[in-house]
């Protein structure tokens, strides 16, 4: 609809907050009946710049991890002990004025092995208490149902999402959640960064280290199809059980630029973009895009679909699109382009951008571009559910943490969010990653800190776990209080 006016600020009810994941904060990995997860058998990385280490899992390495009853090599088992600090942590979020707190549920707290018929009541009671604490401060929980983890037994029994049987295990789990938290959780997402399933074990829970590249691609896209179907069924469950709730998908967005104006580079960037948008095309539009037909044929991928799968995808379209945005990338057909030195080493280096301590290229305008492209393509509400700066935060001599670089990073991205809203984008919220220091998803280190809240713990797990406010804590409090007007 044409209008002579444009929005001047963030909409009323905008969901300001922060985002975390169970396997990076909770700890208490063997408490109250919880089962072992796929995240808790991935060893701490020796090289923080190699993304492949997250997926370098074999059956032998799993057996070694299962025999190890400590968290020394597996820091995600200890997290930051949110399990015992959740009241303190949520109170700090409330002090900043959070309107929303994105967290995930550890599937193995609810179904320790994944294939049980009855849930673990102790696990449900933990999340009862967490959600009650959120509502005590008028904070809306935004819940990711599966965030880079699943019960390890489903890997041992089904090889994770490689088996269609896992759909039934997942939708039994989701049905329990929707019934238990009807009227308590208004915002759900099915899978975190679902495109990570094309990277391997972290997303699929399937061991494929013994396969060649073609075999891995076949297994990963088949596993992904099973996740698509499980997500679509969960959407329908959610709508039937709690019609007032909203359920979305979640994508790791990599904004892609052509390295040059040479049409072959432009086409390479277009293809890279399509391979990123494929996932949201399926979950938002409810069907496989035709451009993937050629990609599958040329890469030897043959998907096995059951009768009715296409109808399920169409009936299970999500209500909103959640995504993470940290960086952009450059694509070229040339092998001579300098690579960006981040641990998401997926593309060329952009000479116009600065980089973080971890080599991630900082591109706030890319966020505005992404928001506009998503809105033009899908016309569903958008939700930035991850965006943040990992850095080496060190307390100064006065004991304070002066993270002005984080404030600058977040300010620039929020300014571009404002511009996108003026462009006409429907943006429902922003939960930055992660409001409190946590264990890294990719490397399991503690040194890469994102939070407004400093946690006294080092990479070896040593420290008091004391929480301390950083300079950015008060800054974000003012941002939320002014609904984004004071940056």
């Amino acid at each position: 609809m044409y209008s002579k006016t444009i929005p001047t600020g963030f909409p009323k009810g905008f969901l300001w907050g922060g985002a975390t994941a169970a396997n990076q904060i909770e700890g208490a990995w063997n408490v109250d009946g919880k089962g072992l997860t796929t995240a808790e058998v991935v060893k701490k990385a020796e090289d923080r710049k190699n993304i492949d280490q997250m997926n370098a899992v074999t059956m032998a390495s799993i057996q070694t991890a299962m025999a190890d009853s400590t968290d020394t090599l597996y820091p995600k088992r200890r997290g930051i002990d949110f399990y015992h600090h959740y009241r303190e942590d949520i109170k700090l979020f409330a002090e900043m004025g959070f309107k929303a707190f994105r967290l995930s549920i550890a599937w193995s707290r609810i179904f320790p092995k994944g294939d049980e018929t009855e849930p673990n009541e102790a696990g449900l009671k933990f999340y009862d208490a967490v959600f009650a604490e959120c509502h005590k401060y008028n904070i809306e929980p935004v819940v990711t149902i599966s965030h880079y983890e699943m019960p390890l037994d489903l890997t041992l029994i089904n090889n994770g999402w490689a088996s269609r049987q896992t759909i039934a295990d997942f939708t039994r789990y989701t049905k329990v959640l929707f019934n238990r938290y009807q009227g308590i959780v208004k915002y759900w997402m099915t899978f975190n960064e679902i495109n990570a399933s094309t990277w391997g074990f972290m997303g699929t829970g399937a061991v494929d280290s013994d396969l060649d590249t073609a075999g891995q691609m076949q297994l990963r896209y088949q596993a992904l199809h099973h996740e698509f179907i499980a997500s679509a069924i969960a959407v329908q469950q959610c709508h039937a059980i709690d019609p007032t709730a909203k359920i979305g998908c979640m994508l790791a967005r990599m904004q892609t630029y052509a390295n040059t104006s040479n049409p072959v580079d432009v086409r390479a960037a277009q293809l890279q973009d399509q391979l990123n948008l494929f996932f949201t095309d399926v979950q938002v539009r409810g069907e496989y895009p035709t451009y993937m037909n050629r990609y599958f044929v040329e890469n030897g991928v043959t998907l096995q679909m059951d009768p009715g799968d296409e109808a399920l995808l169409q009936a299970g379209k999500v209500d909103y699109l959640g995504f993470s945005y940290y960086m952009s990338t450059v694509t070229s057909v040339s092998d001579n382009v300098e690579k960006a030195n981040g641990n998401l080493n997926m593309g060329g280096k952009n000479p116009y951008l600065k980089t973080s301590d971890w080599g991630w290229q900082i591109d706030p305008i890319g966020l505005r571009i992404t928001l506009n492209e998503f809105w033009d393509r899908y016309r569903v509400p958008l939700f930035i559910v991850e965006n943040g700066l990992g850095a080496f935060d060190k307390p100064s001599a006065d004991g304070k943490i002066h993270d002005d670089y984080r404030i600058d990073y977040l300010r620039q991205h929020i300014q571009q969010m404002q511009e996108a809203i003026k462009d006409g984008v429907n943006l429902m919220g922003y939960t930055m990653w992660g409001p409190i220091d946590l264990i890294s998803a990719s490397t399991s280190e503690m040194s890469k800190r994102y939070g407004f809240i400093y946690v006294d713990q080092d990479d070896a797990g040593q420290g008091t776990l004391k929480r301390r406010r950083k300079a950015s804590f008060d800054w974000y409090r003012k941002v939320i209080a002014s609904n984004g007007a004071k940056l």
Side-chain angles (χ1 to χ4, degrees):
M1 178 182 295
Y2 172 71
S3 174
K4 293 182 180 180
T5 62
I6 60 174
T8 57
F10 288 90
K12 183 180 180 181
F14 191 78
L15 295 171
W16 295 100
T20 62
N23 67 82
Q24 294 171 256
I25 64 169
E26 283 187 2
W29 65 285
N30 54 2
V31 170
D32 292 335
K34 180 183 173 296
L36 199 61
T37 73
T38 50
E40 293 160 347
V41 297
V42 178
K43 190 180 292 187
K44 179 182 174 182
E46 297 178 1
D47 178 6
R48 63 164 54 114
K49 295 179 180 178
N50 180 10
I51 190 175
D52 292 336
Q53 61 212 350
M54 295 187 287
N55 299 300
V57 175
T58 66
M59 283 299 179
S61 74
I62 289 175
Q63 294 299 325
T64 298
M66 291 173 65
D68 189 339
S69 60
T70 73
D71 59 24
T72 304
L73 298 177
Y74 308 95
K76 289 192 179 80
R77 296 180 179 183
R78 62 175 174 262
I80 57 168
D81 199 25
F82 176 80
Y83 196 81
H84 297 106
H85 289 257
Y86 71 89
R87 290 186 179 88
E88 174 188 357
D89 293 342
I90 293 171
K91 184 177 181 180
L92 285 166
F93 299 157
E95 186 180 329
M96 279 185 281
F98 274 26
K99 309 300 181 185
F101 172 37
R102 181 185 171 221
L103 68 160
S104 69
I105 289 178
W107 184 351
S108 70
R109 285 204 191 281
I110 313 305
F111 289 97
K113 294 185 176 181
D115 63 352
E116 298 95 339
T117 56
E118 295 297 326
N120 173 33
E121 183 63 21
L124 290 167
K125 284 183 176 178
F126 169 67
Y127 294 107
D128 289 346
V130 169
F131 297 148
E133 201 69 15
C134 287
H135 286 298
K136 173 181 173 181
Y137 299 105
N138 296 314
I139 297 173
E140 290 289 351
V142 178
V143 178
T144 312
I145 297 169
S146 179
H147 191 130
Y148 288 167
E149 67 178 348
M150 63 192 304
L152 182 62
D153 280 72
L154 292 184
T155 292
L156 302 177
I157 298 168
N158 298 341
N159 202 20
W161 285 102
S163 169
R164 193 175 176 99
Q165 171 57 38
T166 303
I167 297 173
D169 295 324
F170 181 79
T171 53
R172 184 170 57 255
Y173 161 55
T174 55
K175 185 176 181 180
V176 167
L177 297 186
F178 297 142
N179 277 305
R180 181 79 169 213
Y181 302 117
Q182 179 182 359
I184 296 172
V185 175
K186 293 182 181 179
Y187 301 101
W188 299 91
M189 283 176 285
T190 49
F191 294 96
N192 178 71
E193 296 184 335
I194 192 167
N195 45 325
S197 288
T198 59
W199 304 342
F201 183 80
M202 180 174 67
T204 65
V207 176
D208 58 17
S209 53
D210 59 334
L211 301 176
D212 60 16
T213 300
Q216 288 179 340
M217 182 174 284
Q218 170 65 38
L219 182 147
R220 292 172 187 180
Y221 275 103
Q222 186 63 56
L224 182 63
H225 177 71
H226 296 152
E227 291 180 60
F228 283 148
I229 296 300
S231 177
I233 294 171
V235 168
Q236 293 177 79
Q237 287 176 330
C238 183
H239 288 164
I241 293 169
D242 189 353
T244 65
K246 300 296 182 184
I247 183 165
C249 60
M250 202 292 210
L251 178 79
R253 175 57 173 165
M254 306 296 177
Q255 183 62 47
T256 304
Y257 306 129
N259 187 57
T260 70
S261 57
N262 187 329
V264 295
D265 274 356
V266 175
R267 170 54 194 160
Q270 182 183 53
L271 175 60
Q272 192 65 38
D273 207 42
Q274 287 177 326
L275 294 177
N276 189 231
L277 295 174
F278 155 59
F279 308 89
T280 41
D281 278 355
V282 174
Q283 294 190 286
V284 180
R285 290 174 165 174
E287 60 185 12
Y288 275 77
T290 54
Y291 59 77
M292 290 300 291
N293 292 337
R294 178 174 180 175
Y295 182 78
F296 286 151
V297 169
E298 291 181 348
N299 287 278
V301 175
T302 303
L303 296 181
Q304 300 298 318
M305 295 192 186
D306 280 9
D309 277 4
E310 291 180 321
L312 280 172
L313 293 176
Q314 190 60 222
K317 292 185 288 187
V318 295
D319 300 314
Y320 65 89
L321 194 168
F323 67 99
S324 62
Y325 178 87
Y326 294 98
M327 73 198 81
S328 58
T329 186
V330 171
T331 303
S332 174
V333 296
S334 172
D335 294 331
N336 297 324
V337 176
E338 182 182 359
K339 298 295 183 181
N341 192 28
N343 67 0
L344 294 180
N345 190 9
M346 295 181 176
K349 186 174 182 179
N350 191 326
Y352 299 99
L353 302 177
K354 296 179 180 179
T355 60
S356 73
D357 289 342
W358 267 258
W360 295 19
Q361 295 206 279
I362 300 170
D363 183 10
I365 294 175
L367 177 56
R368 179 183 178 185
I369 295 169
T370 281
L371 286 165
N372 273 277
E373 290 185 354
F374 276 165
W375 178 243
D376 289 344
R377 191 179 187 97
Y378 297 118
R379 297 289 170 159
V380 297
L382 305 178
F383 197 164
I384 303 167
V385 295
E386 287 186 32
N387 169 248
L389 179 69
F392 292 106
D393 294 341
K394 299 290 185 182
S396 59
D398 61 6
K400 297 180 179 179
I401 300 96
H402 301 281
D403 58 340
D404 292 343
Y405 41 85
R406 176 167 296 108
I407 293 172
D408 187 53
Y409 174 97
L410 296 173
R411 178 189 292 118
Q412 291 181 56
H413 284 80
I414 293 171
Q415 286 171 337
Q416 293 303 317
M417 289 157 50
Q418 290 177 318
E419 294 300 317
I421 290 171
K422 290 180 182 179
D423 295 334
V425 171
N426 181 354
L427 182 61
M428 59 188 282
Y430 175 74
T431 54
M432 60 75 64
W433 182 271
I436 185 168
D437 293 345
L438 38 66
I439 301 295
S440 169
S442 56
T443 60
S444 292
E445 63 188 319
M446 194 73 191
S447 297
K448 183 166 63 171
R449 297 176 181 272
Y450 285 87
F452 301 124
I453 302 163
Y454 184 89
V455 177
D456 182 28
Q457 179 174 256
D458 63 17
D459 288 341
Q462 300 300 308
T464 64
L465 291 175
K466 181 180 178 181
R467 275 68 163 151
R468 280 190 281 173
R469 299 164 185 80
K470 303 179 189 177
S472 57
F473 183 101
D474 189 55
W475 172 82
Y476 197 50
R477 180 185 62 79
K478 293 175 181 176
V479 170
I480 297 175
S482 67
N483 198 26
K486 295 182 179 180
L487 296 175

